Amino acid sequence: SVIAMILGICMAMVQDDYKRIIAYLAVGELGYIGVGIALGTAYSITAGLFQAVNELVVTSFLFIGFGLVLYKTKTSKVSKLGGLAEDMPVAALLTVLAGLTMAGVPPFNVFQSKYMLVQASLQAGIPELAIIMIILSIVTFLAFLKMAYAIFLRPKPDDLEVSSASVPKTTMVVMVVFLIICLVIGLFPSLVTSRLAYMAIAALAL
């Protein structure tokens, strides 16, 4: 699980295609799920399942955001992009928030599940694992910020063609819904964890 986290983030750092970057970051995040299950306590399994739920939501959120980048530019190469915050400001903001959510920035949902996993590692007497997870979350945060800056904030390349078509309103609504879900679960994690805890206890009882 730790290897998956490290490998996923390292592979993401050397990609130029944002679809691959997101995919590798998602692989890295899956390692957190494995950690929770591998620790084998009711609390850690609950945290792992919570991370799985959050991963599903956030990855979908991110792919929709970057799907809009592809819709506007017809390219997924980070090196060919830039300045899109000017052309799609709201979508850019929502996409950046999705990335920060994946990295575990509070007060969003992934912060809560990663915090629980850190606590579970400490309770299991493995502080080294907790430190590794914290460091990898920081690296994920920095990797996403680098990509977001390149796509949305740096000067637009002269040869970049941006479609004049407006961003579909239904897509924007879906992104806002995902953001609200991430925020609500982040502020009230017990809405999800209380149910997952029963599943974890049942799994240990088998």
Side-chain angles (χ1 to χ4, degrees):
S1 297
V2 174
I3 293 174
M5 288 189 284
I6 295 173
L7 182 61
I9 293 173
C10 288
M11 290 298 294
M13 295 287 284
V14 298
Q15 302 299 316
D16 186 44
D17 186 311
Y18 57 71
K19 291 184 292 184
R20 288 179 176 270
I21 293 173
I22 298 169
Y24 279 119
L25 287 178
V27 169
E29 294 297 301
L30 290 175
Y32 290 87
I33 301 171
V35 166
I37 295 173
L39 288 173
T41 66
Y43 186 77
S44 71
I45 294 174
T46 300
L49 294 174
F50 190 23
Q51 175 69 16
V53 171
N54 291 336
E55 177 72 11
L56 178 64
V57 174
V58 173
T59 303
S60 301
F61 189 5
L62 262 179
F63 270 113
I64 291 172
F66 283 104
L68 290 176
V69 173
L70 186 62
Y71 172 77
K72 294 284 285 186
T73 65
K74 303 299 187 290
T75 182
S76 58
K77 298 291 185 181
V78 175
S79 58
K80 295 182 179 180
L81 295 168
L84 291 181
E86 181 181 345
D87 299 282
M88 42 188 293
V90 178
L93 175 61
L94 289 171
T95 303
V96 169
L97 289 174
L100 298 182
T101 300
M102 172 179 273
V105 173
F108 298 108
N109 53 342
V110 178
F111 168 77
Q112 294 289 357
S113 54
K114 288 186 175 181
Y115 179 67
M116 287 179 65
L117 286 166
V118 168
Q119 286 185 311
S121 299
L122 294 174
Q123 290 174 5
I126 315 176
E128 302 87 357
L129 183 56
I131 293 171
I132 290 172
M133 287 192 289
I134 292 170
I135 291 173
L136 291 178
S137 291
I138 294 171
V139 174
T140 300
F141 172 75
L142 295 175
F144 184 82
L145 281 187
K146 178 183 176 182
M147 179 176 65
Y149 171 79
I151 294 173
F152 299 116
L153 296 177
R154 73 178 174 187
K156 186 181 299 181
D158 294 334
D159 59 346
L160 177 63
E161 295 183 7
V162 181
S163 171
S164 59
S166 60
V167 174
K169 292 182 179 179
T170 53
T171 305
M172 296 299 298
V173 170
V174 171
M175 291 188 72
V176 170
V177 169
F178 271 121
L179 178 63
I180 292 171
I181 291 172
C182 292
L183 187 58
V184 170
I185 295 176
L187 293 174
F188 306 101
S190 61
L191 292 173
V192 177
T193 57
S194 59
R195 293 167 175 79
L196 296 177
Y198 288 115
M199 295 174 61
I201 293 171
L204 288 174
L206 294 176

